[in-house]
Amino acid sequence: MFSRLFRKCTEETHHLSSSHTLQQTLEVLEEKENVLQKKISIEVERAKEFTRAKNKQAALQCLKRKKFYEGQMEHLGNFQLRIHDQLPQKLPTHCGQVQRVKDSVKKTYTKSSFSSQQLELEPSGNYSGALVPYK
C-alpha cells in the first residue's frame, strides 16, 4: 500500500508512450492520405472516361468527388502539421552537437545572396517589407 503512495513519478515513460502514440497516429494519417490520393486518381480517370463517352453529368459527379477528396487531404495535412508540432523535438545536449548546429546555421546565412549589411529599408520610409540592395 505504501509503495503505491510513495512511488516515483513516471513522467519519462508517459512521455515516451505519448510520443509513440503520436507517431502511430501520424503513420495512420499518412496511410489515409495515400488512400485518398489513389481515390483522386481513380476519379480523374473515371471523369475522363465519362467525358469521352459524352456523359457530362457523370463526369461532373466524379469531379465533385475528387474535389471532396482533395478537401479531406487538406484536413489530413492540417492534422499532420498539428501532430508534428506536438512531437518532442530532439535538442542537442552535448557541446559538440551545439557547436555543429551553430556552424551549420552560420554557413547557411553566409551563403545567402544578400547579407544583412547590404540591405536597407526603402527610402520612402514606407515599412511595407520591401528591401532594396545597398548601393
Side-chain angles (χ1 to χ4, degrees):
M1 181 173 148
F2 287 110
S3 63
R4 287 179 133 183
L5 292 174
F6 297 110
R7 67 179 172 188
K8 292 184 180 180
C9 184
T10 59
E11 288 183 22
E12 290 180 6
T13 57
H14 176 69
H15 178 71
L16 291 175
S17 65
S18 66
S19 66
H20 183 66
T21 55
L22 287 174
Q23 282 288 30
Q24 287 178 340
T25 306
L26 191 61
E27 290 172 3
V28 169
L29 290 175
E30 288 172 355
E31 290 175 11
K32 286 183 179 183
E33 188 175 17
N34 290 335
V35 169
L36 284 173
Q37 286 175 349
K38 289 177 185 177
K39 286 183 177 184
I40 287 172
S41 64
I42 289 170
E43 292 299 328
V44 168
E45 290 300 318
R46 288 180 64 199
K48 287 179 183 178
E49 290 175 13
F50 286 130
T51 303
R52 284 186 213 120
K54 297 184 181 182
N55 190 349
K56 189 175 181 179
Q57 185 177 6
L60 286 175
Q61 289 295 321
C62 290
L63 293 177
K64 285 181 182 179
R65 279 192 295 270
K66 175 188 168 265
K67 188 174 182 179
F68 173 76
Y69 292 147
E70 287 173 344
Q72 292 295 315
M73 278 187 57
E74 186 176 337
H75 287 292
L76 286 176
N78 290 336
F79 292 149
Q80 288 174 351
L81 286 176
R82 288 183 196 152
I83 289 175
H84 280 294
D85 290 342
Q86 291 175 5
L87 284 174
Q89 300 294 325
K90 292 185 178 180
L91 297 175
T93 56
H94 295 56
C95 293
Q97 289 176 329
V98 172
Q99 187 64 33
R100 276 184 252 134
V101 169
K102 182 180 169 184
D103 291 340
S104 66
V105 169
K106 278 185 181 180
K107 286 179 185 178
T108 56
Y109 281 116
T110 56
K111 289 180 182 179
S112 65
S113 60
F114 293 110
S115 67
S116 61
Q117 298 166 352
Q118 294 174 334
L119 296 176
E120 66 179 19
L121 286 177
E122 195 174 322
S124 66
N126 188 353
Y127 297 106
S128 63
L131 297 174
V132 181
Y134 181 72
K135 295 180 184 178

